[in-house]
Amino acid sequence: MIDLWFVIIAFLWTGYFVLEGFDFGVGMLAPLVSRNAAEQRQSLQTIGPVWDGNEVWLISAVGAMFAAFPAWYAGVFSAFYLPVTLVLVGLIVRGVGLEWRGKVRDTRWCDLGIVMGSALPAFLWGAIFADLVFDSVPAAVFGGVFTLTVCTLHGAVFLALKTTGPVRRRARAAAMAAGAVAIPVAVLALSSLGTFPALAAMAALAAAAALIWRRREGWAFAATATAIVLTTLAVFMELRQQPLPGLSLAEAASGSYTLTMLSWIGLITLPFILVYQGWTYWVFRQRVRATAVPAH
């Protein structure tokens, strides 16, 4: 049961990083790939139907940690109280910006909130997990830079996949520029792990850059998503040995009765989350075109 729930938690975090990763990237890049209000609206509409649903993965991952590994949960969120608080502030600011920009005349503050509310969590989640693995401030900073650049690349590829016209062309150019930064950063960040998933993640990022250059946006998005999956796998392989200094996974876990009850709950709720997410992406699978901005 302990190993099963560790795998479930790793799966939930992986889903969150893959899905919110392109959300963060789109939020950061939308002002850069847009030249007018209609294009800005087009860019943000690519994540409009899904961004809040993607955050369900974070709620599920944190809730599962709290229930299955309370000592691990308490240790992580106590040690990283300030950065986790800043993550929540960023997510709130981003949510307010996304919800309000269609309801106000001057959207500049909303757009700034979306950019900052996307960049802050993208950086801080990498810093938190890098510090958990390496227990080093320089490693935490570099881990934050790594996730920030990878989310930028992931979001640029997603924009190129989901838009048409000038935004699509600029998103493709942004993806190639982001790849030029993300790949060397990934080599430096992941080579210290030295595991097969980490090495494969580097190869996936290189493949994404080549594919976006060849205008194969769908395959490029699959490659960036694969790189995030493999990176998260490498991180959780390290955490499996020792989730916190001086704390083993068995010591951090709840009792067998609690884990059994959680398994029944997860058996009911997890398929619902997967079906809901799959249906949402299927419904909104078409590319987004620029439309005139309605008058207020």
Side-chain angles (χ1 to χ4, degrees):
M1 283 293 184
I2 293 175
D3 288 334
L4 171 64
W5 271 97
F6 184 79
V7 170
I8 291 173
I9 289 169
F11 171 75
L12 293 171
W13 277 109
T14 301
Y16 172 69
F17 289 138
V18 170
L19 299 176
E20 280 280 76
F22 69 74
D23 278 357
F24 295 150
V26 170
M28 290 185 284
L29 289 169
L32 299 178
V33 300
S34 307
R35 297 293 182 268
N36 53 53
E39 291 181 353
Q40 175 81 347
R41 188 165 176 260
Q42 178 190 13
S43 300
L44 293 177
Q45 277 183 331
T46 62
I47 61 172
V50 299
W51 69 267
D52 50 351
N54 292 342
E55 291 184 353
V56 172
W57 289 81
L58 174 61
I59 298 169
S60 300
V62 172
M65 284 181 67
F66 171 77
F69 299 98
W72 186 23
Y73 168 89
V76 169
F77 288 94
S78 295
F80 299 100
Y81 183 83
L82 179 58
V84 169
T85 300
L86 291 176
V87 166
L88 295 177
V89 170
L91 294 177
I92 292 169
V93 169
R94 183 187 67 147
V96 171
L98 287 167
E99 292 292 342
W100 275 90
R101 77 175 312 275
K103 301 177 177 65
V104 297
R105 290 182 179 275
D106 188 351
T107 63
R108 287 176 296 179
W109 286 106
C110 292
D111 293 338
L112 178 61
I114 293 168
V115 172
M116 297 305 298
S118 300
L120 196 61
F123 175 84
L124 289 173
W125 281 129
I128 290 169
F129 278 90
D131 194 85
L132 280 173
V133 172
F134 298 107
D135 193 22
S136 165
V137 173
V141 173
F142 203 75
V145 173
F146 166 72
T147 52
L148 185 66
T149 56
V150 170
C151 286
T152 303
L153 172 60
H154 196 39
V157 173
F158 183 77
L159 272 173
L161 175 65
K162 291 290 291 179
T163 57
T164 61
V167 171
R168 182 185 180 187
R169 292 194 296 271
R170 296 186 200 113
R172 190 184 301 119
M176 289 188 285
V181 177
I183 292 171
V185 170
V187 170
L188 294 173
L190 298 178
S191 58
S192 56
L193 290 173
T195 59
F196 173 75
L199 299 176
M202 294 184 233
L205 287 174
L211 288 163
I212 197 67
W213 182 74
R214 293 174 60 86
R215 303 188 179 188
R216 304 294 296 274
E217 292 101 339
W219 286 107
F221 182 75
T224 55
T226 299
I228 295 173
V229 170
L230 291 169
T231 300
T232 310
L233 175 61
V235 168
F236 274 86
M237 285 173 61
E238 294 293 323
L239 294 178
R240 172 68 183 82
Q241 308 303 318
Q242 193 177 58
L244 284 173
L247 182 71
S248 68
L249 202 61
E251 293 169 338
S254 295
S256 58
Y257 177 78
T258 301
L259 294 178
T260 300
M261 293 300 297
L262 285 174
S263 298
W264 285 107
I265 295 171
L267 187 65
I268 297 170
T269 58
L270 190 57
F272 173 77
I273 294 173
L274 295 174
V275 171
Y276 161 76
Q277 288 270 281
W279 177 80
T280 302
Y281 281 97
W282 174 257
V283 170
F284 296 102
R285 65 189 181 277
Q286 301 297 329
R287 290 183 182 269
V288 179
R289 301 179 183 276
T291 56
V293 179
H296 291 281

